[in-house]
Structures are given as C-alpha cells and as structure tokens.
Amino acid sequence: MKVSYFPGCTLNTTGKGFDNAVRASAAAVGLDLVELPDWNCCGATYPLIIDNMLELAAPAHVLVAARDEGNGLTTACTTCYNVLKRTNLFIREHEDERERITSFIEATYAGEVDVKDIVHMLRDDVGFDVIREKVVKPLEGLKVGSYYGCMVLRPPDEVAYDDPDQPRSLDDLMAALGATPVDFAHKNECCGAYLAVKAPDVTREMVYTILRSAQAAGTEAVVTNCPLCQFNLDRQQVEMQKLHAGYQPIPIFYFSQLMGLALGLDASDYGWERHYIDARPLLSQRGLWNGKGNGD
C-alpha cells in the first residue's frame, strides 16, 4: 500500500530517529511511505485568525503536491497533521478563500486529498490485528502510558480521528505490540507546547502534572506520537529532578521506536542517544535491548 509521506522539518532534523523508526516500521507492516518530492515546511502552526490567506499557502502547496502524486497523504508529526488537515478542510469549505489561495500558489485545488496521521493509517488502513501478527519480539511486561497531547485531538470536529476525551489508538497499538497499556487521567492534557521557549517554568509544571499522573497509575514509560510532546516530557524531567524532591524520571518513547523493536527491526538509528532520560536501561531490563538496537 503506497501513500505519500510528508516528514516535515522536525522529523527531517532533530526528530530523525522518530522518522527512521516510522519509515522502517511502516514498511515492515506493508505500508510504503513515499516521501513527497521537493516538500516545504507546512508553517508549523495553524493560524487562529485567518485574515491573510498567505498563511495557508505553504500547507496548500504541500497538499497540491500530494494530490499530484495521487496516493493520499500521511505524516508522523502531529503538528504537521493538524496544520495540513485543517488547511485541507478550510480550502474544501471556503470557495472564495480557496480561489485566493490557489491563485497565489498557481495551482487548482479543492481539498481532494485525504490527510491522515500515521497512527490513524496504522489503525484503519493496515489494522492493529495485522501488526500484532507481525510482532516477533513482544513488549511483554512493559507498562506503557500513552500520551496523546493536543494536535490529533483538537479541535475535535476538524482533526480528531479518536475520542478527544478518551482516546485509545496509541493504547491499542501498544497492546498489539505486546505491551501493557496503562490508562491515566492526564493523557490528553497539553504539555505546554511552545511555551517551553518563553515560559519553561510553566511548561515544566504542566509536564510534572502529566507525568506524576502517569506514574501514579503505574506506568514505567510514556509513549507519544508528537515530537514536541516528546521533547517537553523528556527534557523537562532534567529540571524536575532538581526542583521536586524524590522525583524519579521515566523514559519517553516515540511509538515508532517501540514498534520497531517489537517487529524485530534494527533500531540502532532510532535516535536513542538524543533522549534526555536514557530509555535503554529499561529496555535492557525487559530483554528488548542488547546494545545494538535490538534484543536478538
């Protein structure tokens, strides 16, 4: 099954390990991610007030490129998904603005592309049962709390492919990989997002609330599908150890890293060295890491 793939800026740079794991894991379950040629940044944020149609030109250009490839469109970055999905919907529903946008980018486009987040595709187009059958090294004994954040859940009428209040997709994927999903109350609360730049202390306390909720429920690791969430939840723990006496940090995984391990793939290029809280000791305890990126 071929689908056009938009890696986006983060997965092409600081999140390359996430990207490597996504591509390898998708291929292993029969999903052929074909990177869009000559893609550009999606804009990184969807404008709250759309007065200037130029703000939608960048994501519209990506959508046109995907339409021309004819394979639909998926992305693993939740921010990119949010921007592309909402831009597509806006173009589809607003004819006058559509003409202004498409005139600027010198293309005709009316929202024909089907935009999906990669977890969405793994669930609905591949199927978690199919993925379960391909697991060769189950994540047995690994208690994982799935953190969803905001971008694939809000606004629900525009982007949500899961219940915005009680999402299950990541939990069900972890179960298919053999892990033990742990539900916790703050799995869909905001991590602070870009507040990490201007107000890191605020972000830190938001992250502390999320992770303490996860730990209180019995998780020993958190998994996410958002590069910004992964960074905030991972990086803020360094300072949390200094400010909150007795706080014990936990690893923050990308879902694709665990998926690659469960599928028996070589995970040596999954970016483990970029984690602020080293995830490998826990993986070693569970027999999932031998220093080479797999548990063989």
Side-chain angles (χ1 to χ4, degrees), residues 71-93:
N71 297 319
L73 180 63
T74 191
T75 181
C77 173
T78 59
T79 299
C80 295
Y81 166 73
N82 185 283
V83 172
L84 293 170
K85 183 78 172 181
R86 297 173 72 184
T87 300
N88 201 47
L89 182 64
F90 183 87
I91 289 174
R92 187 179 296 165
E93 296 182 345

Side-chain angles (χ1 to χ4, degrees), residues 49-67:
I49 301 176
I50 305 176
D51 291 330
N52 185 355
M53 292 300 104
L54 292 182
E55 295 178 320
L56 297 183
H61 189 270
V62 174
L63 293 166
V64 169
R67 188 273 313 278

Side-chain angles (χ1 to χ4, degrees), residues 164-208:
D165 297 317
Q166 293 294 329
R168 290 294 314 171
S169 295
L170 279 174
D171 296 83
D172 293 341
L173 176 57
M174 290 299 108
L177 299 177
T180 301
V182 178
D183 193 25
F184 65 102
H186 289 74
K187 65 182 181 181
N188 58 351
E189 296 295 322
C190 180
C191 70
Y194 296 111
L195 276 175
V197 177
K198 64 179 298 184
D201 55 329
V202 175
T203 301
R204 184 165 52 248
E205 292 310 303
M206 295 172 75
V207 169
Y208 180 72

Side-chain angles (χ1 to χ4, degrees), residues 27-238:
V29 298
L31 191 58
D32 184 8
L33 301 182
V34 182
E35 183 173 335
L36 281 177
D38 301 321
W39 56 266
N40 56 267
C41 176
C42 72
T45 57
Y46 187 81
L48 296 179
I49 301 176
I50 305 176
D51 291 330
N52 185 355
M53 292 300 104
L54 292 182
E55 295 178 320
L56 297 183
H61 189 270
V62 174
L63 293 166
V64 169
R67 188 273 313 278
D68 291 346
E69 292 299 310
N71 297 319
L73 180 63
T74 191
T75 181
C77 173
T78 59
T79 299
C80 295
Y81 166 73
N82 185 283
V83 172
L84 293 170
K85 183 78 172 181
R86 297 173 72 184
T87 300
N88 201 47
L89 182 64
F90 183 87
I91 289 174
R92 187 179 296 165
E93 296 182 345
H94 297 80
E95 184 175 355
D96 291 343
E97 290 84 352
R98 176 201 313 158
E99 292 181 2
R100 293 166 61 189
I101 295 168
T102 55
S103 175
F104 179 79
I105 63 175
E106 299 181 337
T108 58
Y109 183 71
E112 304 95 319
V113 170
D114 187 16
V115 181
K116 292 185 177 182
D117 175 82
I118 188 65
V119 176
H120 186 184
M121 288 211 74
L122 292 172
R123 184 192 68 188
D124 295 348
D125 295 87
V126 176
F128 289 159
D129 288 340
V130 171
I131 293 173
R132 182 180 288 105
E133 293 174 357
K134 294 182 179 295
V135 169
V136 298
K137 197 165 191 64
L139 307 178
E140 293 180 354
L142 191 62
K143 297 177 181 178
V144 180
S146 294
Y147 177 72
Y148 296 82
C150 305
M151 293 298 179
V152 296
L153 301 177
R154 304 181 183 88
D157 58 342
E158 295 182 38
V159 303
Y161 58 84
D162 206 335
D163 185 329
D165 297 317
Q166 293 294 329
R168 290 294 314 171
S169 295
L170 279 174
D171 296 83
D172 293 341
L173 176 57
M174 290 299 108
L177 299 177
T180 301
V182 178
D183 193 25
F184 65 102
H186 289 74
K187 65 182 181 181
N188 58 351
E189 296 295 322
C190 180
C191 70
Y194 296 111
L195 276 175
V197 177
K198 64 179 298 184
D201 55 329
V202 175
T203 301
R204 184 165 52 248
E205 292 310 303
M206 295 172 75
V207 169
Y208 180 72
T209 298
I210 292 166
L211 293 183
R212 288 300 295 136
S213 171
Q215 290 175 320
T219 65
E220 56 187 349
V222 168
V223 64
T224 185
N225 61 336
C226 174
L228 181 54
C229 293
Q230 196 282 334
F231 173 80
N232 279 344
L233 267 61
D234 190 28
R235 173 66 180 87
Q236 292 295 341
Q237 291 187 84
V238 176

Side-chain angles (χ1 to χ4, degrees), residues 14 227 230-239 241 249-252 254 271-281:
T14 57
Q230 196 282 334
F231 173 80
N232 279 344
L233 267 61
D234 190 28
R235 173 66 180 87
Q236 292 295 341
Q237 291 187 84
V238 176
E239 296 302 316
Q241 292 179 84
I250 59 175
I252 311 296
Y254 290 118
W272 309 104
E273 71 284 352
R274 299 188 70 91
H275 287 232
Y276 290 92
I277 305 302
D278 194 349
R280 290 166 289 190

